[in-house]
Amino acid sequence: MTLNNIDQQAAALLSNMKELETNDPAVYAALLGEEDRERNGIELIPSENYTFPEVLSVLGSVFTNKYSEGYPGRRYYGGQTYTDQIENLARDRAKTVFGCDHANVQPLSGSAMNQAVYLGLLTPGDTIMAMDLSHGGHLTHGAPVSHMGSLFNFVRYVTDPVDGSIDFDQVRADALRTKPKMMLCGYTSYPRDIDYAAFKTIADEVGAITMTDASHFGGLVAGRAMANPFDFGFDIVTTTTHKSLRGPRGGMVLCRKPFAKALDKSVFPGLQGGPHMNAVAGIAVTLLKAQTQEFQDYAQQVLVNAKTLSNALMAGGVSLVTGGTDNHMMVLDTMASFGLDGRVAEEVLDRVQITTNKQIIPDDPNPPLRPSGIRVGTPAATTRGMKAQDMEQLASWMIQCLRAPEDEAVIASVRQEVETFCQRFPVPGL
Ligand code: DSN
């Protein structure tokens, strides 16, 4: 019996890549193209990031070969010595990082993890209070177009049009009237922090389970830069693992002990079959990284960068939804600021290799594919080492392009400047 050493693994990786180049040149070419895109452009989509090189290693590893239905020590397939090791590591590290009693690291995605919580703890038809989609909530927080929106009775709260605050007197009145079984906070496009204490007080008054979907800011909670809902007595926190946390694509359900059994059962066998063990290995690796000072510094810098970027945009006359940010993201009202809908704004910035995403704004009169704004965030740029002064430069380029979307000279010159700038900031793993 021999275990591979690092030289053998390096030779295997090179050989695997050569096989791809030879046997599937179309996919290989797309891979090279994506590498160049990531290297030569600035990633500002707030839900995207560059994962750790160690995570890339385990994602492309033999762990992808293995079926592991069940949980460590109780599997439905043999050969689980090493998969049990990595899943136990991932679960224990998740508990340490987030300060919770129990962790399930098997959800294949953010939608699956949220569905597992609702379906595991509630009965179809039950009432859940959550943030309205156009005010920042996620599809799985009850948007009418999602299956969850038809299965459960979602009561939606909204935000103040000027400062983005939540009217907790209104939330309380709605909770007393509708008697939700669950109160959910968390968001996909909301640039403010959450008042967990206020939610918890109302939930306790009506006997609701408290849940936070921390997908966007899970990494900032892990890095101690943002508040942890468990410190306020929350029952459940879900988070995707690939956004601010910098892990592989996937999800986690974290909870207090009384919910552990039902939630495990809901993830498997309730909702999913075999977990993706290469992703579970990546989650384990990520959660060790998340315990370092370097990660905490990154999390703090994400917030500093977001504040600097938002201030620079506003100083340049850009209208931001809620007038700024408390977290890693901001939403630009491009229609009000430049007379451009979000699709056009996204396309103009794409042309200079600054990647953003079109975004509906609260109560947007425009449709989702031509909404009034774009969403921007700093986790990926921060991972690459960009600091506050770089955010001022980014704001200046964005404003130049959005003010003159049809000026080919401006577009060409900013594109060149962006490409030169990017050479100073290597992409991890490339
Ligand atoms: N796709 C995620 C985001 O961009 O926020 C939410 O599903």
Side-chain angles (χ1 to χ4, degrees), residues 45-48 111 138-139 187-189 216 242-243 249 357 375:
I45 294 174
S47 49
E48 294 190 14
S111 292
H138 186 245
L139 280 172
Y187 48 77
T188 196
S189 181
H216 262 263
H242 48 276
K243 296 187 174 86
R249 303 196 86 77
N357 70 272
R375 192 179 60 150

Side-chain angles (χ1 to χ4, degrees), residues 409-424:
V410 169
I411 300 292
S413 125
V414 171
R415 186 183 167 102
Q416 186 54 54
E417 284 172 30
V418 166
E419 202 158 318
T420 307
F421 170 85
C422 283
Q423 288 167 12
R424 287 174 33 217

